[in-house]
Amino acid sequence: MQKITIAIDGFSSTGKSTVAKQLAKHLGYIYVDTGAMYRAVTLFTMQNGFIDKEHFNINALVEKLRNITISFKFNKDLGFAEVYLNGVNVEKEIRTLEVSSYVSKVAAIPEVRYQLVKQQQQMGKDKGVVMDGRDIGTVVFPYAELKLFMIASAEKRATRRFNELIERGDNVKYEDVLRNVQERDYIDSNREDSPLRKAEDAIEIDNSDLSLVEQFNKVLHLVEKTFNKIK
């Protein structure tokens, strides 16, 4: 069967990564979590003191971009690929609320986006890839055979994110998580370089009230329709 490229965009905590992982596993495709890549750069930025609540030294980050290597390594025990920053597993560190509070600012830097988009396009050059993020269908793979745009209410997304963090043992407040979701929505949608927007040919899916099974079945149906179109 001919391979296709599946681009999944949407706001934070809309379940993009969850359904992308499910699809990749079902289809035997490569899964690329572009959000994790931006989170890894954000962690690097924090570790080097380039960003905090008071300042953001963009020039220092840009100068050090060549020193950042991001890779994915499949963990058989977990069933998915974990993120490595300069050879170190940072899967847990990049999922914190602190990283979430800075990632949209880091992701808005044109030089950062340029470097990561190049890597992402290289990863998907042979098709057979499921990639999720903010600009996959509009910038990274504008000619993807299937584009999805995931949405859900801010409150529903904050609840999901809050539960994930609590289950991990993080000490967070729901109000802080909701505020972070809303702030990221604004920054992602209003940045000058590759703002979050729905591609004209993307199919919108509101999963506010969908179970994971319902969501996967709905998306899989769209994948099958896409395969039928290109036969």
Side-chain angles (χ1 to χ4, degrees), residues 23-210:
L23 274 180
K25 185 175 182 180
H26 182 82
L27 298 170
Y29 278 19
I30 294 169
Y31 164 63
V32 179
D33 179 355
T34 65
M37 297 174 73
Y38 286 102
R39 283 176 173 271
V41 175
T42 301
L43 181 63
F44 176 90
T45 307
M46 293 164 59
Q47 289 174 338
N48 285 273
F50 299 153
I51 193 170
D52 57 34
K53 292 180 180 179
E54 306 300 327
H55 86 299
F56 183 7
N57 191 336
I58 295 173
N59 291 332
L61 170 59
V62 171
E63 288 178 6
K64 292 290 186 179
L65 281 177
R66 65 176 68 90
N67 297 336
I68 300 176
T69 300
I70 300 168
S71 58
F72 293 87
K73 296 182 182 179
F74 189 77
N75 185 320
K76 289 189 292 186
D77 294 330
L78 296 175
F80 62 85
E82 296 179 295
V83 184
Y84 284 72
L85 171 62
N86 293 335
V88 178
N89 187 327
V90 293
E91 182 64 34
K92 184 175 182 179
E93 288 84 351
I94 66 170
R95 305 296 177 182
T96 64
L97 187 58
E98 186 178 14
V99 169
S100 295
S101 68
Y102 295 126
V103 65
S104 290
K105 294 178 182 178
V106 172
I109 305 306
E111 291 86 352
V112 172
R113 303 201 70 78
Y114 176 76
Q115 290 293 335
L116 294 191
V117 166
K118 277 201 308 181
Q119 292 183 39
Q120 292 155 12
Q121 290 174 331
Q122 183 65 22
M123 290 174 180
K125 63 182 176 62
D126 296 322
K127 297 186 180 292
V129 64
V130 184
M131 193 172 290
D132 71 275
R134 302 288 193 281
D135 61 352
I136 312 305
T138 54
V139 176
V140 183
F141 295 119
Y143 302 109
E145 288 83 359
L146 177 61
K147 301 178 187 178
L148 305 175
F149 193 83
M150 315 292 289
I151 65 169
S153 69
E155 292 75 17
K156 285 286 178 75
R157 290 184 285 132
T159 298
R160 292 170 186 166
R161 182 74 177 134
F162 174 76
N163 290 336
E164 287 175 4
L165 292 170
I166 292 297
E167 286 176 12
R168 279 180 18 149
D170 292 5
N171 183 21
V172 296
K173 296 179 180 178
Y174 171 78
E175 293 76 14
D176 292 335
V177 177
L178 176 59
R179 188 182 308 111
N180 174 252
V181 165
Q182 293 169 331
E183 288 175 352
R184 291 184 65 190
D185 286 353
Y186 180 81
I187 295 173
D188 290 342
S189 301
N190 291 278
R191 66 188 179 215
E192 290 186 15
D193 192 340
S194 307
L196 170 63
R197 62 181 177 83
K198 176 186 171 186
E200 290 184 5
D201 53 346
I203 299 169
E204 185 173 281
I205 296 178
D206 186 340
N207 64 11
S208 295
D209 299 308
L210 293 179

